[in-house]
Amino acid sequence: MYRQLARTLSWAVASAAIALALAEVAIHVFGLFPEGRAASVLARPEGEAGAEPGKFQIHPFLGWTWRPGLRASLEAAFPEGEPTEWARRNSTVNRLGHFSWSEDYREIGEDAFVVGIFGGSVASDLASLGGEVLREALQARLPELGESIVVFNLATRGHKQPQQAIALLQALVLGLRFDAVVNLDGFNEAVHGGRDVALGRHPLFPARRLWTSALELSSVAPAGETLELAGEVARVRRRARELAAWIQESVLARRSKLARAVAGMRVLRQWRRADELEDRLQQLSAERPASAAVASLTDPCLEGRGSCLELIADLWQRSSRLMHDLTREGGGVYLHALQPNQYVPGSKRLTAEERRRSYVPGGRSDLVERVYPLFRRRSASLADHGVTFHDLTMIFADRPETIYRDPCCHYNLHGNELLARRLADLIGDAVTAAGRPLMTAAD
């Protein structure tokens, strides 16, 4: 009897081992479960999660900004070393709600050559991580500027057009002047805008997922159900991060594609559950009397009579033209750049690390693939209006090294520096083409 039981158990163990081995081989050969195997990230990418209480403040024109005085965590951008001095200096939120070296925008001298950076978190990273290289490269390109160059960040996580145009208008009304304005955008318009229109929400307004949670959690006395849901969202995200951390640290997960796929699919289910809870938070916000007074718009495409992706492209194009006109009226040059992103087909051959940490096919990739071509087609109209537009989606195409640091859109320090050097050349070209009189170092 015992021998029969032992043989049965041995056969069961051997069968299970064979099945697992076959599954491992099948995943390896056929590339099964790519979403799960790519989900081994330590944290949700910036711009994807809802607004955290205490970090954001409601802004009457921009939707939200960071809370002044908040300090950024730099570990994600410097996983293997100490942050640069420039990054440290630019890791505190100033009075306008942006990460910047300057606490008060009025500290900028009248003789400075001011480069304003506008966009979402990718643009903010450019200023905070690549700003020093941008400044040095622009100084080398235009040596007559001497030490006068100031890189001033007005970009914020999750912002999309027309938030950049509104941020520029606000800055000009406050008395800031810009010798050059750089608008680095595209991803948030495609992804946040695409998600909003899919839910019947007009893309003119700030990204709904970020704005409604920031609005609700910033109220003096949020409803009890709102607090419970917000707490559940935080718990689900924490469990997902803990499991993702296990994938990163476990020898089993590093060696077994099967283990990584199974655990990764669980991570993705946790994130999707968090998304469902976020949607419920937005529903609650819309149902409350205070939120019912918040403005909304409609459009034929939102009623199923057209493509709302074209509406996103319309807003993107018109906002850029407005930024060009405002900048030119103030005597500066305007440069609009379509930001690089790993989901643009053919834009980069991803390294093994990037495939593991920085690529999750699905909603983001689908929207980028559908909306970026619309932006490219609209670029001809921008050029006809006099806008200096550059499609930078392919600047990493020939780079064999790791550039992307998360599955959203963000670059590591090296990637930001590469982008900064390219933009410095383009700003120099724009300034030279405009024939602007420049101060000299002696002045």
Side-chain angles (χ1 to χ4, degrees):
M1 174 180 176
Y2 291 110
R3 289 180 180 178
Q4 179 64 32
L5 179 60
R7 282 196 297 269
T8 301
L9 290 174
S10 298
W11 173 250
V13 170
S15 298
I18 292 171
L20 290 173
L22 289 174
E24 189 77 42
V25 171
I27 290 174
H28 183 77
V29 172
F30 298 106
L32 304 178
F33 308 113
E35 298 92 345
R37 289 184 288 111
S40 53
V41 291
L42 295 179
R44 185 73 172 219
E46 292 181 34
E48 293 294 299
E52 302 93 334
K55 292 186 177 181
F56 280 89
Q57 61 182 2
I58 299 302
H59 192 287
F61 309 132
L62 297 173
W64 68 85
T65 60
W66 296 103
R67 288 191 181 276
L70 179 72
R71 290 190 61 82
S73 173
L74 299 173
E75 286 77 8
F78 299 91
E80 298 178 354
E82 286 295 316
T84 63
E85 180 59 28
W86 177 277
R88 290 185 185 279
R89 288 180 59 205
N90 287 271
S91 63
T92 301
V93 179
N94 65 13
R95 294 184 182 180
L96 289 180
H98 307 287
F99 287 105
S100 172
W101 59 271
S102 174
E103 179 182 356
D104 193 330
Y105 61 92
R106 287 163 290 196
E107 296 174 354
I108 300 175
E110 293 183 0
D111 59 344
F113 184 92
V114 183
V115 179
I117 306 295
F118 294 80
S121 56
V122 167
S124 182
D125 273 3
L126 171 72
S128 298
L129 304 179
E132 184 174 26
V133 169
L134 174 63
R135 184 179 183 277
E136 292 173 350
L138 185 57
Q139 186 179 16
R141 178 71 170 75
L142 301 172
E144 59 268 42
L145 293 178
E147 298 292 329
S148 67
I149 301 171
V150 169
V151 177
F152 195 74
N153 178 38
L154 290 113
T156 291
R157 163 185 161 182
H159 277 191
K160 62 179 180 63
Q161 291 288 25
Q163 282 167 294
Q164 294 97 281
I166 296 170
L168 174 59
L169 178 60
Q170 174 187 260
L172 294 173
V173 169
L174 286 172
L176 276 79
R177 58 167 190 79
F178 299 99
D179 297 279
V181 165
V182 176
N183 176 31
L184 179 66
D185 68 4
F187 178 83
N188 286 351
E189 285 77 9
V191 174
H192 287 313
R195 288 175 172 174
D196 280 353
V197 298
L199 295 172
R201 296 155 182 163
H202 202 291
L204 174 75
F205 297 107
R208 183 81 179 192
R209 184 172 300 280
L210 282 166
W211 179 71
T212 53
S213 53
L215 175 66
E216 189 68 20
L217 294 173
S218 295
S219 65
V220 175
E225 190 175 357
T226 296
L227 291 175
E228 291 173 3
L229 277 172
E232 182 62 19
V233 169
R235 285 191 291 273
V236 171
R237 287 195 180 121
R238 184 182 67 249
R239 288 196 293 268
R241 282 193 294 268
E242 290 171 349
L243 183 55
W246 176 84
I247 298 174
Q248 288 288 327
E249 298 166 2
S250 167
V251 175
L252 174 62
R254 286 201 299 269
R255 293 182 177 178
S256 169
K257 291 182 181 294
L258 175 60
R260 194 157 61 247
V262 171
M265 295 304 290
R266 287 189 61 193
V267 171
L268 291 178
R269 281 198 295 271
Q270 296 283 4
W271 285 131
R272 287 166 185 154
R273 174 58 179 159
D275 287 345
E276 293 172 359
L277 292 170
E278 284 280 2
D279 288 339
R280 178 56 185 156
L281 272 175
Q282 293 177 31
Q283 274 187 312
L284 285 177
S285 177
E287 292 166 1
R288 294 188 65 188
S291 297
V294 174
S296 63
L297 284 175
T298 187
D299 189 272
C301 74
L302 296 171
E303 300 167 3
R305 299 200 300 273
S307 171
C308 279
L309 299 186
E310 292 286 351
L311 176 59
I312 291 171
D314 287 342
L315 296 174
W316 175 84
Q317 176 184 332
R318 293 169 188 153
S319 298
S320 184
R321 289 178 55 173
L322 178 60
M323 292 183 74
H324 167 268
D325 294 343
L326 288 170
T327 304
R328 185 175 180 180
E329 181 68 23
V333 296
Y334 172 70
L335 189 150
H336 185 180
L338 185 60
Q339 72 188 72
N341 185 264
Q342 66 265 47
Y343 299 111
V344 176
S347 62
K348 189 181 188 300
R349 179 173 294 179
L350 299 180
T351 65
E353 180 180 358
E354 286 172 322
R355 288 194 300 272
R356 179 169 56 87
R357 291 181 58 91
S358 305
Y359 191 89
V360 179
R364 285 184 295 266
S365 60
D366 292 344
L367 285 167
V368 168
E369 290 180 14
R370 294 171 65 193
V371 179
Y372 264 52
L374 300 181
F375 293 158
R376 290 194 177 106
R377 288 201 289 271
R378 301 301 181 93
S379 65
S381 178
L382 288 175
D384 291 342
H385 188 72
V387 175
T388 301
F389 177 84
H390 294 278
D391 180 354
L392 299 186
T393 55
M394 295 296 159
I395 68 168
F396 301 141
D398 297 326
R399 308 299 305 198
E401 66 270 38
T402 295
I403 297 291
Y404 293 98
R405 75 171 195 254
D406 63 31
C408 168
C409 45
H410 302 100
Y411 325 125
N412 57 21
L413 177 63
H414 177 56
N416 276 287
E417 291 177 345
L418 289 173
L419 180 59
R421 292 189 181 94
R422 177 63 176 143
L423 286 171
D425 286 339
L426 297 177
I427 294 170
D429 292 343
V431 170
T432 301
R436 283 211 46 199
L438 299 177
M439 67 194 74
T440 65
D443 293 337

